[in-house]
Amino acid sequence: MTFVQIPTNITPSEQQAQQYFIKGNYTQAASCYEQAIETEPEVKSHYWNLGLMLLLQGQEAEAQMTWLLGMEEGEAEQVEQWTVELIKVLQTEAERRETLADYSVAWAIRQHIREISPIYVNNLLYLIELSIKLKTFTGDELTSLEVIELIQSEAIIDIELLLQVLGSIINDDPLHPSVLEFVECCLTHISEPQSFINILLPAAVKIIYSMRQPKVAISLVELCLRLEPENTELLRHLAAFYIRDSNYSQGIEIAKLCYSLSKSLTEKIFAKHLIQRGLMECTGYWNEAYTVFLEQEFLMKSLIEEQPINLESAMVSRLFNANYYAPYLQDNPQHNRQIQNQVAQLCQLNVQKYATEKVQRYKQHSSHKRNKKIKIGYLSHCLSRHSVGWLARWLIQHHTREQFDLYGYFITYKHVDDSLQEWYVQQFNQAYLGGIYSDDIAEKISEDEIDILIDLDSITLDITCEIMALKPAPVQVTWLGWDASGIPAVDYFIADPYVLPDSAQEYYTEKIWRLPQTYIAVDGFEIGVPTLRRDSLDIPSNAVVFLSAQRGFKRHPDTARLQMKIIKEVPNSYFLIKGVADSEAVQKFFMQLAEEEGVEYSRLRFLDLDPSESVHRANLAIADVVLDTYPYNGATTTLETLWMGIPLVSRVGQQFAARNSYTMMINAGITEGIAWTDEEYVEWGVRLGKDEALRQQVAWKLKASRQTAPLWNGKQFTREMEKAYQQMWQRYIEKT
């Protein structure tokens, strides 16, 4: 490597200076260059190198004076040429320092280059890159260095460097106000769009899911689309981002565009899934959503018949949860699970084909030969302020640490203020704060030699599915987050005597492991200060208040119609409706049903979301009766309702999602409100609405159950889960 700028005919002084320089003896090197200047004052490189030696000694003023001295008496063209030579000397040393990871010195040298040539944009980019490495980058440099304006006007720029700095900025401080402007100014210099997209798209995914800033993520994807407006990968993400941001109409429109551009069967299936997702979450488009569901189901059956085994990993990942909305639309587990199981099996075949080496290596797990504590790994993107996070904490808290080592694998770890997430981090023997890459997380699970891996997400997240399909642990279990995934690599699905009918094993690929009483238990919930009052809602104090608080895609029109029949039959009753959805669409949906059933609009109240979970629970107390959804029941909302001592009416079906409230009510010690038909649902609603004494009796039983019922005994539930883990592990040892 050339360390300093030297003339062709090197003198002894310069030769000696270079040797001193290499050894870091800058004082002696400076003396040699001073001698060289005395001998050859006309050789400008002596001045440039002497100044550099002074700079490296911290003598900045002296260095600048030396360079100015070298520039004296030069014509304009000469000074310009000498400036180029000086910058080259400084840049060479800066690059050497960067190679040595001596970033602070490299930064200082480049600051001097900036002073010499403030519009040298490549140097400014290096300065930003160095400040990121030194952890001094604030984002304000994008404006203070005027780098955005220079990039916009600069005809010649190092594109590789520009992309490198773009990637560093977008990972370091993606939410700074100037970052989007910086990204946009880069567009005119991009000739190969995919390199640009490869930087921005993963960043956008992190921004929306880990940082919860959907609008920033949307803007990044839209900038990418300027380069490739018909890129279906970008359109898929953009549709999902819009839906995540509750901009359902835009999300549906983009998803439909994506479908029109899709060519392969797998692309079409996922585009249909996105359309369905937008329609379901918006609420009010059930007929169209069901039509899309049937179309998507036809496509999935076609794929199952084809049995392709060379699918791209990204396509496989999306297929895992393509059938997600089936149980929200119909209570037909034999049919739904057959398709889910076949799709999941096809996905696993493809995963294990393109990751053959990993799968084979993971099979070599040998921890069963050691006589130590069982290692339990919990895998989820929901170990935070999320329903799963609120419910799983009692199991984690009550675990017997003398028998089990607990490992937490956080997918898309949230880079936000989340006290529950931080609580989880502290509970595990080791916590892996992962991102969006399934390979990295699976590798860590294997390295940690986890014995039993507990999947808390099921098909709610494609990353989780891919990890489970790789089978990084010898025993794998699904619990809590949804229904079973149908992935063959999952050994067990945790249930209880009530949440699945006796015949369920016929259509599950996983072995159903039934705990003796309940598949979930909590010790209780934190209750805040209520913010709802009847008088503020213009509801009489003697009125009967019904409540439904669920996400939009749980509001099946058939069940919503039954709810209207109940309101109509109970005099002086009001219906409070709350949940995540398009508020305008929800109001239109319920008002149309009210009109069809002869219920006055004035008896409906549409509530905003509460500021926190604890306030939401406190506000449940305004209700006399809560009306559950079907064919997809509440889960966390059911537990919260029962904990607050409020009577619940729930329709029981055949699928897991249609029996959640049933098992919870049984395990809380009540049967009042359990309906096995639509007619019973209406009957229980009317009866509880009209019979105040019955409501009080149910409320009393629920409050008394806090001391005795299995549903409220997290410690006993944990013992049952631990017993199940030990038996699962023993079976594995015996088999191997």
Side-chain angles (χ1 to χ4, degrees):
M1 177 185 292
T2 302
F3 296 114
V4 291
Q5 181 81 3
I6 59 175
T8 305
N9 299 317
I10 188 169
T11 66
S13 294
E14 291 172 305
Q15 201 170 39
Q16 186 66 45
Q18 189 175 24
Q19 292 174 2
Y20 283 131
F21 171 75
I22 293 171
K23 295 177 181 178
N25 192 337
Y26 307 128
T27 302
Q28 292 294 338
S31 296
C32 291
Y33 282 120
E34 287 172 351
Q35 294 174 18
I37 290 172
E38 289 179 6
T39 305
E40 299 176 314
E42 73 285 355
V43 178
K44 298 301 181 181
S45 62
H46 299 333
Y47 296 91
W48 316 151
N49 289 315
L50 173 58
L52 175 60
M53 297 305 109
L54 295 170
L55 178 62
L56 293 175
Q57 296 177 72
Q59 301 177 40
E60 296 186 23
E62 291 83 350
Q64 291 172 343
M65 288 297 296
T66 301
W67 294 328
L68 287 174
L69 184 63
M71 301 284 182
E72 280 185 348
E73 300 179 1
E75 299 292 335
E77 290 183 3
Q78 288 179 306
V79 170
E80 184 177 344
Q81 176 60 34
W82 293 338
T83 302
V84 170
E85 293 175 4
L86 171 58
I87 289 175
K88 187 175 181 181
V89 168
L90 296 177
Q91 189 163 280
T92 300
E93 177 60 10
E95 290 171 357
R96 187 178 80 91
R97 295 289 178 165
E98 288 158 18
T99 303
L100 297 172
D102 193 353
Y103 301 129
S104 57
V105 173
W107 183 87
I109 293 171
R110 289 198 176 277
Q111 277 288 24
H112 282 278
I113 297 175
R114 178 197 167 204
E115 291 178 14
I116 296 166
S117 180
I119 63 170
Y120 181 19
V121 69
N122 288 336
N123 182 65
L124 299 178
L125 291 172
Y126 274 118
L127 272 173
I128 291 172
E129 179 78 3
L130 288 166
S131 65
I132 292 172
K133 290 177 177 177
L134 290 168
K135 302 188 184 304
T136 60
F137 181 71
T138 66
D140 294 337
E141 292 88 342
L142 295 173
T143 51
S144 64
L145 296 177
E146 299 182 350
V147 69
I148 293 174
E149 293 84 348
L150 289 169
I151 290 174
Q152 289 171 332
S153 61
E154 184 74 23
I156 300 175
I157 194 167
D158 185 335
I159 303 302
E160 185 177 342
L161 172 62
L162 180 66
L163 290 172
Q164 178 182 330
V165 174
L166 173 62
S168 298
I169 290 173
I170 208 73
N171 286 316
D172 185 78
D173 191 8
L175 304 183
H176 190 278
S178 297
V179 168
L180 283 176
E181 190 180 356
F182 177 77
V183 174
E184 187 172 11
C185 82
C186 294
L187 285 175
T188 56
H189 297 276
I190 303 301
S191 58
E192 204 286 294
Q194 196 57 50
S195 58
F196 185 76
I197 293 168
N198 289 344
I199 292 170
L200 290 192
L201 191 53
V205 171
K206 177 181 177 181
I207 288 165
I208 193 169
Y209 295 116
S210 291
M211 298 181 174
R212 297 176 179 174
Q213 295 292 329
K215 287 181 172 53
V216 177
I218 288 168
S219 296
L220 289 175
V221 177
E222 287 177 336
L223 288 173
C224 291
L225 281 165
R226 290 192 195 177
L227 298 175
E228 292 190 349
E230 294 189 349
N231 184 312
T232 52
E233 178 73 4
L234 293 173
L235 291 170
R236 276 189 288 268
H237 282 284
L238 185 60
F241 290 0
Y242 270 124
I243 294 169
R244 180 86 172 190
D245 194 35
S246 301
N247 189 340
Y248 303 110
S249 59
Q250 191 74 9
I252 293 167
E253 181 182 338
I254 297 295
K256 288 181 176 179
L257 172 61
C258 184
Y259 179 77
S260 70
L261 296 170
S262 296
K263 297 178 181 178
S264 71
L265 195 53
T266 50
E267 286 181 314
K268 290 179 179 179
I269 289 171
F270 191 71
K272 283 291 184 185
H273 169 74
L274 286 173
I275 297 169
Q276 187 182 32
R277 178 179 169 188
L279 294 169
M280 295 285 289
E281 295 207 18
C282 184
T283 300
Y285 298 93
W286 283 86
N287 290 336
E288 186 179 353
Y290 191 72
T291 299
V292 171
F293 165 69
L294 293 177
E295 293 169 347
Q296 186 202 31
E297 190 174 85
F298 175 79
L299 293 172
M300 286 191 288
K301 288 180 178 178
S302 300
L303 186 72
I304 291 167
E305 288 179 9
E306 286 187 11
Q307 285 291 300
I309 55 171
N310 292 300
L311 297 174
E312 293 181 8
S313 60
M315 289 294 103
V316 174
S317 181
R318 295 189 181 100
L319 280 174
F320 276 112
N321 54 14
N323 201 40
Y324 177 80
Y325 288 103
Y328 294 93
L329 289 158
Q330 60 184 18
D331 180 22
N332 189 348
Q334 291 91 337
H335 177 77
N336 291 343
R337 290 223 58 83
Q338 181 184 25
I339 293 175
Q340 177 60 41
N341 294 341
Q342 290 175 326
V343 169
Q345 182 181 35
L346 177 61
C347 289
Q348 178 169 305
L349 283 172
N350 278 271
V351 168
Q352 297 201 349
K353 189 172 191 306
Y354 65 67
T356 303
E357 182 274 328
K358 285 181 181 293
V359 172
Q360 292 301 319
R361 181 157 46 83
Y362 295 160
K363 284 182 180 179
Q364 306 307 312
H365 191 285
S366 59
S367 61
H368 62 278
K369 296 180 179 179
R370 65 172 195 265
N371 185 23
K372 296 181 180 178
K373 291 188 287 186
I374 298 175
K375 289 185 176 182
I376 308 293
Y378 287 93
L379 172 70
S380 181
H381 75 295
C382 301
L383 297 175
S384 57
R385 299 178 72 88
H386 180 283
S387 291
V388 167
W390 290 114
L391 302 187
R393 57 186 171 149
W394 302 110
L395 172 63
I396 303 301
Q397 178 174 313
H398 292 306
H399 253 305
T400 307
R401 305 308 171 110
E402 293 77 21
Q403 296 177 319
F404 302 92
D405 280 336
L406 305 187
Y407 291 69
Y409 300 94
F410 294 71
I411 305 174
T412 62
Y413 176 80
K414 314 299 184 295
H415 296 277
V416 295
D417 183 15
D418 190 315
S419 57
L420 186 55
Q421 179 178 250
E422 293 313 304
W423 179 86
Y424 271 109
V425 171
Q426 298 302 317
Q427 301 307 305
F428 294 114
N429 294 76
Q430 290 186 33
Y432 180 71
L433 312 184
I436 62 173
Y437 298 108
S438 55
D439 283 355
D440 295 346
I441 301 170
E443 196 68 23
K444 189 68 174 73
I445 292 167
S446 177
E447 288 175 3
D448 290 339
E449 294 192 320
I450 294 302
D451 299 317
I452 303 177
L453 181 63
I454 314 299
D455 155 33
L456 300 177
D457 295 343
S458 187
I459 69 167
T460 63
L461 190 70
D462 51 6
I463 301 169
T464 309
C465 294
E466 193 168 19
I467 292 169
M468 299 303 285
L470 289 167
K471 195 144 177 116
V475 179
Q476 299 195 153
V477 183
T478 294
W479 172 64
L480 186 61
W482 196 73
D483 201 343
S485 65
I487 298 171
V490 177
D491 303 288
Y492 300 103
F493 177 56
I494 301 291
D496 62 34
Y498 312 102
V499 78
L500 287 176
D502 294 339
S503 61
Q505 190 62 70
E506 297 172 9
Y507 44 86
Y508 276 82
T509 59
E510 302 89 343
K511 171 68 176 176
I512 298 173
W513 194 288
R514 295 184 191 260
L515 299 180
Q517 293 176 306
T518 177
Y519 85 93
I520 180 63
V522 300
D523 285 351
F525 294 99
E526 297 83 354
I527 311 300
V529 177
T531 58
L532 288 181
R533 290 173 55 90
R534 293 192 176 203
D535 53 6
S536 64
L537 295 173
D538 195 24
I539 296 176
S541 59
N542 63 344
V544 177
V545 174
F546 291 90
L547 168 70
S548 176
Q550 294 291 354
R551 294 183 66 93
F553 49 77
K554 288 189 178 183
R555 298 193 183 283
H556 196 286
D558 293 347
T559 305
R561 189 177 297 279
L562 299 179
Q563 293 169 346
M564 286 299 151
K565 292 181 182 295
I566 293 170
I567 304 303
K568 183 178 180 180
E569 291 296 319
V570 178
N572 195 29
S573 65
Y574 291 78
F575 191 26
L576 308 186
I577 301 158
K578 179 173 67 174
V580 177
D582 184 302
S583 58
E584 185 177 337
V586 169
Q587 292 186 32
K588 182 179 178 181
F589 171 73
F590 276 103
M591 285 184 172
Q592 182 177 338
L593 287 174
E595 182 177 4
E596 292 172 1
E597 295 299 322
V599 176
E600 300 90 344
Y601 298 159
S602 59
R603 297 171 68 182
L604 307 183
R605 298 288 185 275
F606 298 94
L607 307 180
D608 294 330
L609 295 177
D610 297 304
S612 68
E613 294 87 353
S614 62
V615 172
H616 158 72
R617 297 170 196 137
N619 283 337
L620 291 174
I622 198 172
D624 295 299
V625 182
V626 170
L627 300 178
D628 197 11
T629 48
Y630 172 86
Y632 206 110
N633 296 165
T636 307
T637 50
T638 294
L639 283 166
E640 292 169 330
T641 297
L642 299 176
W643 180 255
M644 293 299 294
I646 302 168
L648 176 75
V649 179
S650 183
R651 166 79 158 86
V652 187
Q654 292 301 304
Q655 64 187 3
F656 178 87
R659 300 170 71 92
N660 252 316
S661 295
Y662 167 54
T663 186
M664 292 171 185
M665 294 169 77
I666 291 293
N667 279 290
I670 62 167
T671 57
E672 297 87 345
I674 296 176
W676 293 89
T677 64
D678 290 351
E679 293 74 19
E680 286 186 14
Y681 184 87
V682 175
E683 288 171 6
W684 270 118
V686 172
R687 183 179 172 188
L688 284 165
K690 290 182 175 180
D691 193 338
E692 183 178 359
L694 178 60
R695 294 200 302 271
Q696 290 177 346
Q697 179 184 352
V698 173
W700 180 85
K701 288 172 69 174
L702 285 171
K703 289 179 181 177
S705 76
R706 290 185 178 187
Q707 309 301 320
T708 58
L711 193 65
W712 313 126
N713 193 339
K715 185 173 289 188
Q716 178 58 34
F717 167 73
T718 303
R719 298 291 85 80
E720 297 293 347
M721 284 286 277
E722 290 180 337
K723 182 178 178 182
Y725 291 163
Q726 290 169 329
Q727 292 174 347
M728 291 173 187
W729 188 240
Q730 186 60 37
R731 289 187 182 184
Y732 170 75
I733 293 174
E734 291 172 357
K735 190 194 310 186
T736 56

